[in-house]
Amino acid sequence: MPTSLTRPISWYRRTAVAGLAVVALAATGCSTKSSPESSGAPADDASAGTSSGPVTLKDGSSVKLALIPGGAHPYFQPWKTTAELDKTEFKLGDVTFDETGEWDQSKQNNVISSLAARGFNAFGIFGVSPTDINTTFEDLKAKGFAVGSLASCPAGNTNSADFCLSTDVEAAAYKAAKATIDAIGGEGTIVHLTGNNVDSNTQRRIAGVKKAVGETGGKVTELPVVTDIDKDLQTAQKAVADLLASKGKEIKGIVTTAYNPAVAAADGVASSKLPIKVVAIDDDAKILAGIKSGGVSATVAQNPVGQAYVGGWLLALLGSKQCTMKTPGVIVDSGSFVVTKDNVDTYDDERKAKTKELQTEFASQLSCQ
């Protein structure tokens, strides 16, 4: 389940710095604007009637945007409110947020087909099956639709969507493990709790944690990874309870790289009163409260708002035919952010700044009318 499934950092095609992006935009004829400093998302441009940013959308009225997770999950709830923000700021013809795919690729495909039949023509999709989603992307592209892979990139070496905007999960897991190692004082036993074992992205998370453990030169050891526990909170709670009952006295730290295990670990350790340091994923209210109280050492927040906002802006530019991608299938990391007691009240500023940077990064990938 999602902590933004995507490829490791080696796949990311980095773009030029902001100054070079402006040069590239000038060469392609795109209008450029500076973003205001006070907000993570650019403010309305009164003169153009659209959102300001490194490329100003001229007319989004023909674009009907659909943001489609694989199914219901807390991670995607910010997409719902951001879709409405996209509609307002970019003056889109319509938006929808549809999470009824039930984590089944065939059912998600049916949802997508139904929305296309209803006139939606720009799609931001978290594919249920990373190995199969390219077929869906190719079908949509063949019909002339704009398609973005959001919060997950297809498995393998090919992304058939116009772009992918997702967390680099291996890098995020590495950050989480490093934070866990710091929290336990650099030595002891940790355990990693995560999602679906057969998912290639879970294997990337496992690799990220193992890399951090390996860098300790044996000072930190890792118990067998606990997988397949992000289906729902109840599944995660049972797994955490069983783990603490059997191994609790051996464990100095728990690193979680999936949403439900993070919440379950925070609650389970607090209830057990064991001296275990917990590092979570994402910024659920319980997790943030735990950081403030000291019950949770850290978390690694992701950027679902940035995925939906920047993804919506880019899909509007592509869907309106104002712009095309210079290199279709480009992959960009949407960012991950270590949150501790020191920055729990201010980390969102870093995330907002990253969202601005994402627009500039994508702008240098565009050719515009």
Side-chain angles (χ1 to χ4, degrees), residues 239-293:
V240 168
D242 291 346
L243 175 69
L244 294 179
S246 62
K247 302 285 186 180
K249 293 182 180 179
E250 301 175 34
I251 299 168
K252 288 190 68 176
I254 296 176
V255 54
T256 60
T257 60
Y259 191 100
N260 288 305
V263 176
D267 286 344
V269 169
S271 298
S272 72
K273 302 190 184 305
L274 289 166
I276 297 172
K277 302 297 185 182
V278 176
V279 172
I281 194 78
D282 291 319
D283 46 2
D284 179 88
K286 282 188 177 182
I287 298 299
L288 296 181
I291 290 174
K292 291 178 180 179
S293 70

Side-chain angles (χ1 to χ4, degrees), residues 335-347:
S336 55
F337 315 90
V338 178
V339 182
T340 66
K341 202 167 188 176
D342 291 339
N343 69 338
V344 66
D345 292 323
T346 60
Y347 75 94

Side-chain angles (χ1 to χ4, degrees), residues 189-264:
T189 299
I190 69 170
V191 62
H192 176 198
L193 312 184
T194 190
N196 190 349
N197 188 50
V198 301
D199 188 339
S200 60
N201 299 287
T202 296
Q203 296 304 313
R204 290 166 186 142
R205 296 185 187 99
I206 291 172
V209 173
K210 288 188 181 299
K211 178 183 176 183
V213 171
E215 290 175 352
T216 68
K219 291 182 179 179
V220 174
T221 57
E222 185 183 1
L223 291 176
V225 182
V226 181
T227 62
D228 300 310
I229 60 170
D230 194 33
K231 179 181 178 181
D232 52 46
L233 185 57
Q234 292 72 27
T235 299
Q237 287 171 329
K238 183 180 186 306
V240 168
D242 291 346
L243 175 69
L244 294 179
S246 62
K247 302 285 186 180
K249 293 182 180 179
E250 301 175 34
I251 299 168
K252 288 190 68 176
I254 296 176
V255 54
T256 60
T257 60
Y259 191 100
N260 288 305
V263 176

Side-chain angles (χ1 to χ4, degrees), residues 14 17 31 42 44 48 61 108 171 194 206 213 229 246 304 354:
R14 293 297 179 192
V17 295
S31 61
D44 281 352
S61 61
Q108 186 185 44
T194 190
I206 291 172
V213 171
I229 60 170
S246 62
K354 177 64 177 179

Side-chain angles (χ1 to χ4, degrees), residues 42 120 224-225 314:
F120 286 89
V225 182
L314 190 55

Side-chain angles (χ1 to χ4, degrees), residues 303-333:
N303 195 8
V305 171
Q307 290 164 0
Y309 183 84
V310 177
W313 165 77
L314 190 55
L315 286 166
L317 288 168
L318 299 174
S320 67
K321 311 303 182 185
Q322 179 181 334
C323 300
T324 58
M325 301 297 302
K326 291 179 182 177
T327 305
V330 66
I331 297 168
V332 173
D333 181 10

